[in-house]
Amino acid sequence: MSHPHPDYGPPPPLRADGLRIIPLGGVGEIGRNMTVFEHSGRLLIVDCGVLFPEDVQPGIDLILPDFSAIRDRLDDIDALILTHAHEDHIGAVPYLLRERRDIPIVGTRLTLALLNAKLTEHRIKAVTQEIREEERHTYGPFECEFFAVNHSIPDAVAVAIRTEAGLVLHTGDFKMDQLPLDGRLTDLGGFARLGREGVDLLLSDSTNAEVPGFVTSEREIAPVLDGVFREATRRIIIACFASHVHRVQQVLDSAEAHGRSVCFVGRSMVRNMGVARDLGLLRVPPGLVVDARDIDSLPDRNICLISTGSQGEPLSALSRMANRDHQIRIQAGDTVVLASSLIPGNENAVFRVINGLTRHGARVVHKGVAKVHTSGHAPAGELLYVLNATRPSNVMPVHGEWRHLRAHAKLAEATGVPADHVVLAEDGMVIDLLDGRARITGVVPCGYVYVDGAAVGDVGEPSLKDRRILGEEGFITITVVVDAAAGKVVVGPDLSARGFTDSPGTFDAVAKLVSDAMSDAMRSGMNDSSALQQLVRRTVGRWVNENYRRRPMIVPVVLEV
């Protein structure tokens, strides 16, 4: 296997007959999917998504791919292809379009509809091209063929990219449910046709590569949901992804069968289901859906709410219900169903929500106790089918953390792909396809770009480190007024703290230490305010460490008269 190496430098110029692949996200992580293809001086991008922050990134709203590697080549982009409309594949598109507004965006009907709804909120009008599976389109030197794939959102596609350098298949996210609710199967026959043509490089979804066997069909979820509806005596609240049209359809069907009215809760849920209904992808029986303002007039046994917040997002509807910060108040006897899987990193947030709901008397049903969710990603058995059907010369596992990528690599080797033809890369690594071989040839800048409110890229790791220190250790400020010429402290030192201690008189002892240290320093000739501030920081820091074994942020302020 080809492994990342810290000694890689910038890649060499790409040969005219070569194809370059640069993952700017989604390799070594789940989210932020974005892959750049380069051939004959032109660029093609597949997906442009976001990564959601973890607890160690306080205050951050979204994490974007780093566009710096292509920022000076925006005019070379022939198209941006979107495989499907999940946020980790389309969420960063508005930010890329801020760099160049007229990048042609290619996607299926639902993908573009959900994207355009998002772009409207950003006040951006995009140049789009709607495509369907089994179609071929050319963008610059890239001939692209699209294949239907089954996923946890309708209208997902894989894309085959043909160039003079070879044929690449990018599966996007997929599974191989043999009884999908919409009858739209993953086109394994099409993949096999590509295999006979000769796939030079396969980029394939690795999320469930560690999971043996085959995916549970969506149809097996319906009886479980039906049982929940049959047993519930008060309100039912279903939390799922706002893009999971199939799951919402199952809930609507069960609600209709059990005489419950449905209310969509959460801005993205209302928006996305409206789009899906308008496109005919969601069947909503007349009179079934009611407005949130009308639910108080209905008996609890006749209410079903479909909400966002299955991942414990702090501002989501379900999290606010758990915190009693929402107009819908959780009551004893309510049934809450978390109809989704846990995204890595969200476990603590989800369990906090579950505990909050349970505290208020709700019965919480989740994947751990009932079959209320099935994954949208192919497990190992299905990945083997794709590997055997496509018979690729080279394989590059994508869309997964390192454990997923390595598990997928072992599957590829088991099907006969030589170990040195399996490329284990990570974000920012440059892979060149030359003479039928894919190899890592260099690296490009590829850090996290943080969105904090309206600011994009203004917050970096140093600021996040400060935020973590403030959140975990608190801070201490020390204000001192000195007469440097006389070599004495005039006022202070005054110490105050936030998030450090509530005990009065805590800093009486250290105040005298600071005053004595500064007086001694000034008498020995130290009169620079910056040097005096450092002295204050060291003195207070040493005292705090010796007495509390803690490392708060220490902010000294030295003023001269």
Side-chain angles (χ1 to χ4, degrees), residues 25 48 55 59 78 127 133 143 202 209 214 216 219 263 275 362 425 452 456 479 504 506 526:
C48 187
D55 292 343
D78 287 316
V127 178
E133 62 265 24
E143 181 188 297
L202 172 67
F214 299 83
T216 300
R219 292 183 187 271
C263 175
V275 170
D452 183 1
V456 178
T479 303
T506 296
M526 182 186 292

Side-chain angles (χ1 to χ4, degrees), residues 227-238 255 258-261 295-296 298-305 324 328-337 360-363:
V228 171
F229 275 82
R230 189 167 50 250
E231 295 171 8
T233 58
R234 295 179 62 87
R235 296 179 302 180
I236 297 175
I237 302 168
I238 310 283
H258 291 270
R260 289 182 182 258
S261 296
I295 62 175
D296 289 337
L298 297 172
D300 285 349
R301 67 179 180 276
N302 296 130
I303 297 173
C304 173
L305 307 170
R324 289 292 177 94
I328 297 168
R329 310 278 288 185
I330 295 295
Q331 301 170 10
D334 287 345
T335 298
V336 180
V337 180
H360 299 310
R363 174 198 175 207

Side-chain angles (χ1 to χ4, degrees), residues 237-239 308-314 316-324 330-331 334-343 346-370 372:
I237 302 168
I238 310 283
T308 57
S310 62
Q311 296 301 308
E313 304 94 321
S316 68
L318 191 67
S319 292
R320 291 168 57 203
M321 291 181 207
N323 294 329
R324 289 292 177 94
I330 295 295
Q331 301 170 10
D334 287 345
T335 298
V336 180
V337 180
L338 299 180
S340 67
S341 59
L342 290 179
I343 294 176
N346 291 355
E347 295 89 349
N348 290 338
V350 172
F351 289 129
R352 273 197 300 270
V353 170
I354 291 174
N355 284 322
L357 296 168
T358 306
R359 177 170 174 262
H360 299 310
R363 174 198 175 207
V364 181
V365 181
H366 54 86
K367 186 181 178 183
V369 298
V372 291

Side-chain angles (χ1 to χ4, degrees), residues 40-118:
S40 297
R42 306 298 296 176
L43 304 179
L44 179 77
I45 301 174
V46 175
D47 291 328
C48 187
V50 296
L51 180 67
F52 293 102
E54 300 181 14
D55 292 343
V56 295
Q57 294 149 338
I60 298 303
D61 299 313
L62 298 170
I63 305 172
L64 306 179
D66 187 347
F67 302 143
S68 59
I70 59 171
R71 183 162 283 121
D72 60 351
R73 300 192 58 190
L74 294 172
D75 290 338
D76 295 336
I77 300 172
D78 287 316
L80 164 59
I81 295 173
L82 302 177
T83 58
H84 62 284
H86 279 153
E87 283 295 303
D88 60 335
H89 292 258
I90 70 168
V93 173
Y95 301 93
L96 180 62
L97 292 183
R98 290 181 186 180
E99 310 260 352
R100 178 188 156 194
R101 288 295 181 101
D102 63 343
I103 295 174
I105 301 176
V106 180
T108 58
R109 186 172 56 147
L110 177 63
T111 299
L112 293 181
L114 293 179
L115 174 68
N116 283 325
K118 174 184 293 292

